[in-house]
Amino acid sequence: MNPDEDHHPVDREYPDTIMRVLDANANRAAEGLRTLEETARFVLNAHALTSRLKTLRHDLATAIQLLPRMQLLRARDTAGDVGTNATTQSEHQRSNVRHIVSAGTGRTQQALRCLEEYGKIVDAEMAKRVEQIRYRCYDVFAELEQVCVLGGDRLSRLQRARVYALIDGGEDETAMVQRIGLLADAGVDIIQLRDRSLDDRTLFERAVAGTAVTGRLGVLWIINDRADIAAASNADGVHVGQEELPVGQVRRIVGSQSIVGLSTHDIHQVREAFASTADYIGCGPVFPGITKQFERFPGCDFLCEVSREISSRADHSETRPAFAIGGIGASNIDQVVRAGFGRVAMSGAIAGADSAEVAREVRTKLETVPIDNPADMVIA
Ligand SMILES: Cc1ncc(COP(=O)(O)OP(=O)(O)O)c(N)n1
Ligand SMILES: Cc1ncsc1CCOP(=O)(O)O
Ligand SMILES: [Mg+2]
């Protein structure tokens, strides 16, 4: 705030000691929130958490404006602060992102409590607002720490993923598990269970079996359409279409640690998806295929538009991994690659006896397209 705009009704001067506590902790809390926000944004790609942390940071700045800023600045005395040299060894060591997050959340919470307590002497309204911010922080911080462990791992695997296979539930559970093993061996990164012919109980049981085997094999496991079954089976995520439950509602069911994918068929839907909390998008249908019939094919023109949209955004945290889908296989992968896509989802092409060779061949071609991979830092 401009010092001239300091409109706090200063009817008294507060002791410098109090002002120093408030000044130091206002800075500490704001810096802590910014560190956590950057982690959610750039390291974890956690869109919903990033925006909640940003709102908290802004609300804190608004609350701090209730303090007499000139008095705060006059009281600032970094050189005379006996605490600046009193550092501990652990303050200078951060071994991984989890460590940064737990240090940041602890520090921010402590700073908010100090602000609140000392703020009560100066401005009761400010103290009340900080108290509310502190309560909101408890929830957001708990989620952030959890996302760091499970969600962060899922998101970094998603960022690296290139080949995504859609499968049905198979003849029986054993057949499905075998197929998953084969696809994983062939280097498939993500497998989606897409089967509308199964009753809910059987679909759930297949989902549970898939969660267990993909967990062992290091493959992401996504359930098509059904957020409830994805949550109940502890799958890595869910994929929904434009006519299904909105992404925000899906999130309420599966939580922030799960992957949510969204189908897109035109560039407006892609932009909407980038503004939502979806973690990746499916783009298509590109070509006619055997799995699903369509009247319209946005085709490779659409893929080119999506590639341009992604590369036009300087800030890659504003985009999401995009998988081309629809009739894609070894015979047309070159066209997809030429459209700038380094990731595909396939069903029909990986359903036959040659599925492993197809998956390998497709992968080799896709690897010629660089994909943005910001999540290559050690999160564990
Ligand atoms: C990765 C991926 N992309 C697109 C789709 C299609 O989803 P949707 O439009 O909801 O159609 P159905 O698969 O539900 O028939 C997908 N499943 N996966
Ligand atoms: C579900 C879906 N949505 C767009 S294309 C498609 C089917 C993908 O299967 P295939 O790879 O066999 O065309
Ligand atoms: Mg669907």
Side-chain angles (χ1 to χ4, degrees):
M1 195 213 279
N2 182 329
D4 298 336
E5 290 168 15
D6 189 356
H7 47 67
H8 189 267
V10 190
D11 48 10
R12 56 177 287 202
E13 277 283 321
Y14 297 98
D16 278 358
T17 47
I18 289 169
M19 286 296 143
R20 285 173 76 191
V21 174
L22 289 172
D23 181 48
N25 284 287
N27 293 337
R28 197 171 284 147
E31 288 160 8
L33 282 173
R34 174 64 93 163
T35 306
L36 299 172
E37 184 186 326
E38 301 297 65
T39 305
R41 179 175 173 186
F42 294 114
V43 181
L44 302 173
N45 285 301
H47 306 280
L49 272 173
T50 304
S51 86
R52 287 168 73 191
L53 285 159
K54 187 174 180 176
T55 307
L56 280 167
R57 186 167 53 76
H58 284 173
D59 291 350
L60 177 65
T62 309
I64 300 296
Q65 282 177 7
L66 294 171
L67 295 173
R69 182 161 173 78
M70 284 301 100
Q71 286 195 45
L72 284 178
L73 293 178
R74 272 200 304 275
R76 191 175 291 175
D77 177 16
T78 313
D81 180 353
V82 293
T84 50
N85 291 323
T87 57
T88 60
Q89 179 77 1
S90 64
E91 274 180 66
H92 298 289
Q93 289 171 351
R94 301 280 183 263
S95 47
N96 55 41
V97 175
R98 252 161 75 187
H99 195 175
I100 293 171
V101 167
S102 64
T105 53
R107 206 172 148 79
T108 307
Q109 260 153 6
Q110 289 161 16
L112 288 172
R113 174 58 100 165
C114 284
L115 263 179
E116 183 186 327
E117 292 301 324
Y118 277 81
K120 286 174 188 165
I121 300 175
V122 177
D123 190 304
E125 172 59 23
M126 175 266 176
K128 221 161 42 195
R129 287 198 206 176
V130 171
E131 182 186 27
Q132 291 307 317
I133 292 169
R134 186 166 57 79
Y135 290 147
R136 280 158 58 205
C137 279
Y138 285 131
D139 287 342
V140 177
F141 290 178
E143 226 171 273
L144 182 65
E145 292 210 35
Q146 291 175 67
V147 169
C148 259
V149 183
L150 186 56
D153 173 55
R154 284 173 172 159
L155 290 172
S156 64
R157 283 153 68 197
L158 174 65
Q159 286 291 334
R160 289 191 294 269
R162 288 186 178 273
V163 183
Y164 186 148
L166 282 70
I167 64 166
D168 60 24
E171 281 284 289
D172 53 28
E173 198 174 291
T174 312
M176 185 194 78
V177 167
Q178 255 176 13
R179 188 146 168 234
I180 291 173
L182 193 117
L183 292 169
D185 277 352
V188 168
D189 308 293
I190 308 180
I191 301 179
Q192 179 186 124
L193 176 59
R194 179 179 181 274
D195 197 328
R196 296 220 174 91
S197 70
L198 298 176
D199 60 71
D200 276 15
R201 178 65 66 89
T202 313
L203 185 64
F204 167 68
E205 285 167 1
R206 293 285 205 284
V208 171
T211 299
V213 65
T214 53
R216 285 196 294 275
L217 297 170
V219 171
L220 288 170
W221 179 237
I222 305 289
I223 309 300
N224 188 42
D225 292 344
R226 300 289 299 270
D228 55 345
I229 289 184
S233 63
N234 273 325
D236 292 303
V238 57
H239 185 96
V240 287
Q242 291 286 329
E243 270 97 53
E244 288 149 27
L245 215 52
V247 169
Q249 298 304 315
V250 171
R251 273 267 168 247
R252 290 180 62 185
I253 299 169
V254 298
S256 58
Q257 297 163 61
S258 290
I259 291 172
V260 176
L262 176 66
S263 301
T264 60
H265 315 295
D266 64 47
I267 199 67
H268 305 289
Q269 292 173 355
V270 169
R271 289 180 186 132
E272 263 177 31
F274 287 174
S276 79
T277 63
D279 295 302
Y280 74 85
I281 56 171
C283 302
V286 185
F287 308 111
I290 51 170
T291 310
K292 190 174 172 179
Q293 303 307 309
F294 296 94
E295 285 176 2
R296 239 190 95 247
F297 292 90
C300 284
D301 288 347
F302 173 44
L303 299 188
C304 289
E305 263 188 295
V306 178
S307 297
R308 278 198 298 274
E309 180 70 27
I310 290 175
S311 53
S312 74
R313 297 188 182 216
D315 185 346
H316 278 261
S317 73
E318 301 299 330
T319 72
R320 310 295 146 80
F323 294 83
I325 183 167
I328 298 170
S331 65
N332 53 23
I333 188 66
D334 289 333
Q335 294 176 62
V336 174
V337 164
R338 272 201 298 277
F341 267 61
R343 313 175 202 255
V344 296
M346 302 179 287
S347 179
I350 44 89
D354 61 348
S355 59
E357 290 86 80
V358 174
R360 286 198 188 93
E361 190 178 339
V362 165
R363 182 178 200 93
T364 305
K365 298 264 171 78
L366 292 172
E367 280 175 352
T368 62
V369 181
I371 52 175
D372 192 37
N373 185 14
D376 54 1
M377 203 166 157
V378 182
I379 290 174

